[in-house]
Amino acid sequence: MEYVVGIDLGTTNSLCAVFRNGQPELIRNAHGDVLTPSVVGILQDGQVVVGAPAKELRVTSPDRCASAFKRLMGTNRNVSLAGKTFSAPELSSLVLRSLREDAEAALGGPVTEAVITVPAYFNDFQRKATKHAGELAGLKVRRIINEPTAAALTYGFHDRDADKKLIIIDLGGGTFDVTLMQIFEGTLEIISTAGESFLGGEDFTDRLVATVLKQLGMALETAEHKTPLLVARLREECERAKRAFLTEELAVVRVPEENGELREDAKRIKVSREAFAKVSGELVERLRKPIGKALRDAGTGPDEVDDVILVGGATRMPIVRETVRELFGREPLCTFNPDEVVGLGAAVQAALIADDAAVDDMVMTDVCPFTLGIETAKQFAHQTMDGYYTPIIHRNTTIPVSREEFFGTMTASQTEILLQIYQGESRRVKDNLKLGELKVTGIPAGPPGQQIGVRFTYDLNGILEVEAYIPETGRRFVTVLTNHARHMSEAEVAAAVERLRAVKFYPRDDVKNQRLLLFVERIIGEVPPMERQTLEETLTAFEAAMAAGDREQFAAVRQGLLVVLSSLGIEYDDYREQPDAEN
Ligand code: AMP
């Protein structure tokens, strides 16, 4: 049986889930983990590693690794790593390919179809880039769904007989989304959605990194440029400190050397939870606005919401929880692991698409998260002022939706109109995001006000199609929006698929060894000189055994290395055995 998998393609971590035996279930990767860091690395020999090994490599060789590329989806910006250039969809496709291989190993057969989640606030370009990444990974993308909608599906699936209103607050690594939903007798209705696409847990880490650097007399941007290895390692330290504030009042950040090494006698900087709250205060304030907007759009007060649900790793931060608690006057719920709930929901959506009997009593409706419209001109006295925005589909309209409006020519004998298509909430187009253009020609000449019809169709994937027609002649003009600069021809897509197919992954069976090697390379500088030699020798033996490929001898050397690590009191989160897969 071939499954449609559900994939949460996150800024920091990604995961894959499948719906089987009447339940959504997470798939483990080659390291036995359900979370795969969204990091891509290129080893010295040119082979590619994705996830945990790449994250290790990022600390020692940031120039060979790429991360947080989700933030570049839908833009023209490329990433250079190990001397090669990749687009954000290409890098995302490598993460997807890795997840796909894990799913194939777990399910014992080919996986060719997927549901992929995106932040609700992803615009048309970002959604298309995500779909494109799926195609580059050899996956047919059956549906793009909004992350908070997927989270809502997990809660709705488990609580489908309830009659209640839920608000989902989703703060991930790079994005923030708020979604209000009504559940009633198996029907899950998304009522409103709001968010910000550049606000997430990574911004909080950045604030901490900047604070520590400031104490050292450095600005973040300059340091990133001048001492990237120091900053890469310091970021790891700050990430650890940020997580420590969950339980500790005080965290210690060790300052690495310029070459990124963390010496035993490294300088230590203490940061209090209070100081962290202070430097991230502005970020916390930014959380309030979308929450207020989602409630207002739904005409709902905070006290009318039954459950407040937290999703996304960054909602674990006490300052975020406190803000939510204060806004709603009650304790937020976190019944499902906030890192996993979106991936599980993607699998529920996959089951809905595959008509799985376990979800045949469920119906889900989603909304368009932003307003879509065109540029128009207004006439004041005898003056024409352009640059105004006329909405055609209003935000929070249930999707799929198709709406038509009529517009007239401005001048006598005008035979052409260039429709400028925008997304956004501002009255003037300059403050909104331009999605594309559609030229309408052959309008019969006549006095001003000759009509054309403009139809906007927004589908379940959140992708917009614009159609214009001239009622008098019946002539039609259609565009599925593509941003010209980013548009690739079919031949270009095929070439990209080929190029990526040629990218060689480090063999899946051995990737856990590669991760161990990179881990030891990362921490070896922290080991006191007296003990370093034993570790160095064991590591060399491990490397030699890996190169020789003698598996039997190799298992013993690996075990030896783990013993040395443990005798040095170094914790290593090794491979976790997977429970037997049921097919
Ligand atoms: P996601 O994109 O949902 O995987 O969210 C990942 C983000 O959550 C990253 O920015 C992490 O730093 C953050 N995160 C995960 N666990 C914690 C924690 N215990 N405390 C603070 N932030 C966390």
Side-chain angles (χ1 to χ4, degrees):
M1 156 163 196
E2 207 177 309
Y3 294 93
V4 181
V5 293
I7 294 177
D8 169 7
L9 187 59
T11 310
T12 40
N13 289 302
S14 295
L15 48 100
C16 182
V18 67
F19 196 93
R20 57 176 177 172
N21 306 321
Q23 293 280 351
E25 177 191 322
L26 296 167
I27 285 173
R28 290 182 184 275
N29 60 24
H31 309 281
D33 297 325
V34 292
L35 290 184
T36 295
S38 307
V39 186
V40 173
I42 301 189
L43 300 171
Q44 288 290 349
D45 64 4
Q47 295 193 87
V48 167
V49 280
V50 171
K55 204 172 159 188
E56 296 290 356
L57 186 67
R58 186 178 59 180
V59 183
T60 50
S61 312
D63 56 322
R64 309 194 71 83
C65 293
S67 51
F69 35 83
K70 181 171 172 178
R71 290 184 157 191
L72 304 179
M73 292 292 264
T75 71
N76 272 334
R77 280 171 58 198
N78 286 329
V79 179
S80 149
L81 68 154
K84 291 199 175 84
T85 303
F86 291 88
S87 68
E90 285 175 340
L91 291 167
S92 298
S93 85
L94 295 173
V95 175
L96 291 171
R97 184 165 131 192
S98 173
L99 296 173
R100 179 183 167 199
E101 287 181 5
D102 293 330
E104 290 181 338
L107 301 171
V111 169
T112 55
E113 297 192 340
V115 168
I116 305 180
T117 63
V118 293
Y121 252 63
F122 252 27
N123 63 41
D124 213 66
F125 304 138
Q126 295 165 307
R127 285 168 195 266
K128 286 204 187 97
T130 306
K131 205 161 172 225
H132 182 48
E135 286 157 10
L136 293 177
L139 288 166
K140 180 171 177 204
V141 181
R142 291 290 301 269
R143 183 76 52 84
I144 297 280
I145 65 161
N146 296 331
E147 285 162 13
T149 304
L153 268 173
T154 304
Y155 278 87
F157 172 72
H158 290 280
D159 210 2
R160 69 183 102 166
D161 297 325
D163 174 6
K164 56 168 118 163
K165 221 170 240 177
L166 313 178
I167 192 159
I168 317 263
I169 296 177
D170 179 358
L171 186 65
T175 49
F176 179 53
D177 284 323
V178 182
T179 288
L180 197 75
M181 175 180 76
Q182 172 77 50
I183 307 183
F184 180 63
E185 291 181 353
T187 301
L188 279 57
E189 185 193 354
I190 305 290
I191 311 171
S192 65
T193 260
E196 214 189 293
S197 48
F198 285 92
L199 176 60
E202 298 310 296
D203 297 300
F204 288 78
T205 312
D206 276 354
R207 293 285 158 108
L208 205 49
V209 174
T211 307
V212 174
L213 285 172
K214 199 171 163 198
Q215 290 197 33
L216 300 168
M218 282 188 263
L220 176 57
E221 261 179 37
T222 326
E224 260 174 343
H225 184 63
K226 283 195 177 151
T227 52
L229 291 168
L230 181 152
V231 176
R233 178 76 67 138
L234 185 62
R235 192 176 296 279
E236 293 282 308
E237 283 289 299
C238 288
E239 175 70 28
R240 228 172 23 81
K242 182 179 84 171
R243 289 174 190 239
F245 291 132
L246 194 57
T247 48
E248 313 286 331
E249 284 295 331
L250 205 64
V252 176
V253 176
R254 296 171 301 171
V255 181
E257 299 297 301
E258 277 196 6
N259 65 3
E261 226 175 88
L262 256 180
R263 293 220 321 249
E264 211 194 345
D265 59 350
K267 182 172 179 166
R268 284 161 162 75
I269 291 188
K270 285 189 191 143
V271 190
S272 67
R273 190 197 274 185
E274 202 186 329
F276 175 56
K278 203 162 164 209
V279 294
S280 42
E282 182 260 337
L283 299 174
V284 174
E285 274 313 301
R286 273 160 65 190
L287 299 173
R288 293 176 191 267
K289 216 170 146 190
I291 297 177
K293 192 167 161 200
L295 287 170
R296 272 196 309 279
D297 278 4
T300 301
D303 48 341
E304 291 170 70
V305 176
D306 296 293
D307 290 347
V308 181
I309 291 165
L310 297 182
V311 174
T315 55
R316 290 201 179 92
M317 282 185 288
I319 35 173
V320 173
R321 288 189 175 214
E322 276 155 30
T323 307
V324 173
R325 195 181 299 125
E326 181 203 313
L327 277 170
F328 289 90
R330 88 198 75 156
E331 200 56 43
L333 297 179
C334 215
T335 319
F336 292 93
N337 182 328
D339 295 319
E340 299 172 356
V341 60
V342 170
L344 290 169
V348 175
Q349 176 66 66
L352 285 168
I353 288 174
D355 281 333
D356 193 295
V359 291
D360 65 1
D361 56 340
M362 262 174 84
V363 178
M364 207 262 313
T365 65
D366 205 347
V367 295
C368 171
F370 25 66
T371 303
L372 296 158
I374 61 166
E375 177 180 0
T376 52
K378 286 185 197 273
Q379 201 109 42
F380 297 112
H382 294 294
Q383 227 186 341
T384 306
M385 306 277 281
D386 52 18
Y388 286 91
Y389 180 55
T390 300
I392 296 184
I393 295 177
H394 286 274
R395 69 169 187 263
N396 293 321
T397 306
T398 301
I399 59 168
V401 56
S402 193
R403 291 265 156 84
E404 187 174 272
E405 297 279 342
F406 287 89
F407 298 89
T409 51
M410 294 294 293
T411 54
S413 302
Q414 181 181 349
T415 57
E416 285 186 7
I417 292 180
L418 183 62
L419 291 172
Q420 311 265 5
I421 300 144
Y422 284 86
Q423 159 194 320
E425 312 304 326
S426 219
R427 192 167 164 252
R428 291 181 191 273
V429 291
K430 70 173 176 29
D431 301 320
N432 292 331
L433 175 75
K434 184 167 168 183
L435 298 178
E437 300 176 346
L438 178 60
K439 195 170 188 176
V440 182
T441 55
I443 302 169
Q450 296 298 306
Q451 295 275 291
I452 64 161
V454 178
R455 176 171 288 279
F456 273 34
T457 305
Y458 192 80
D459 71 11
L460 287 169
N461 293 313
I463 289 176
L464 176 68
E465 188 189 88
V466 177
E467 184 187 39
Y469 70 98
I470 305 168
E472 212 174 315
T473 63
R475 198 157 162 210
R476 286 179 185 273
F477 304 81
V478 183
T479 178
V480 175
L481 292 174
T482 45
N483 180 310
H484 297 293
R486 291 162 207 135
H487 182 57
M488 286 170 94
S489 67
E490 267 179 41
E492 283 167 323
V493 173
V497 170
E498 271 318 301
R499 188 162 87 88
L500 286 162
R501 204 171 279 152
V503 169
K504 223 168 153 244
F505 269 27
Y506 193 83
R508 189 175 186 277
D509 285 350
D510 293 329
V511 80
K512 62 176 197 281
N513 301 321
Q514 185 63 39
R515 177 187 174 193
L516 177 57
L517 176 78
L518 292 168
F519 170 80
V520 181
E521 281 184 347
R522 170 165 72 83
I523 53 93
I524 201 156
E526 294 167 47
V527 176
M530 298 287 286
E531 290 155 351
R532 182 172 166 145
Q533 196 179 345
T534 325
L535 187 58
E536 186 84 55
E537 281 164 10
T538 329
L539 183 63
T540 307
F542 182 67
E543 225 175 344
M546 266 174 82
D550 176 344
R551 285 185 182 261
E552 218 164 283
Q553 179 217 358
F554 180 68
V557 183
R558 178 186 163 82
Q559 199 48 41
L561 184 55
L562 290 172
V563 170
V564 174
L565 284 177
S566 137
S567 71
L568 295 175
I570 297 168
E571 272 180 46
Y572 178 66
D573 189 14
D574 197 21
Y575 177 71
R576 276 182 287 282
E577 282 302 329
Q578 298 183 29
D580 281 344
E582 297 161 39
N583 288 311

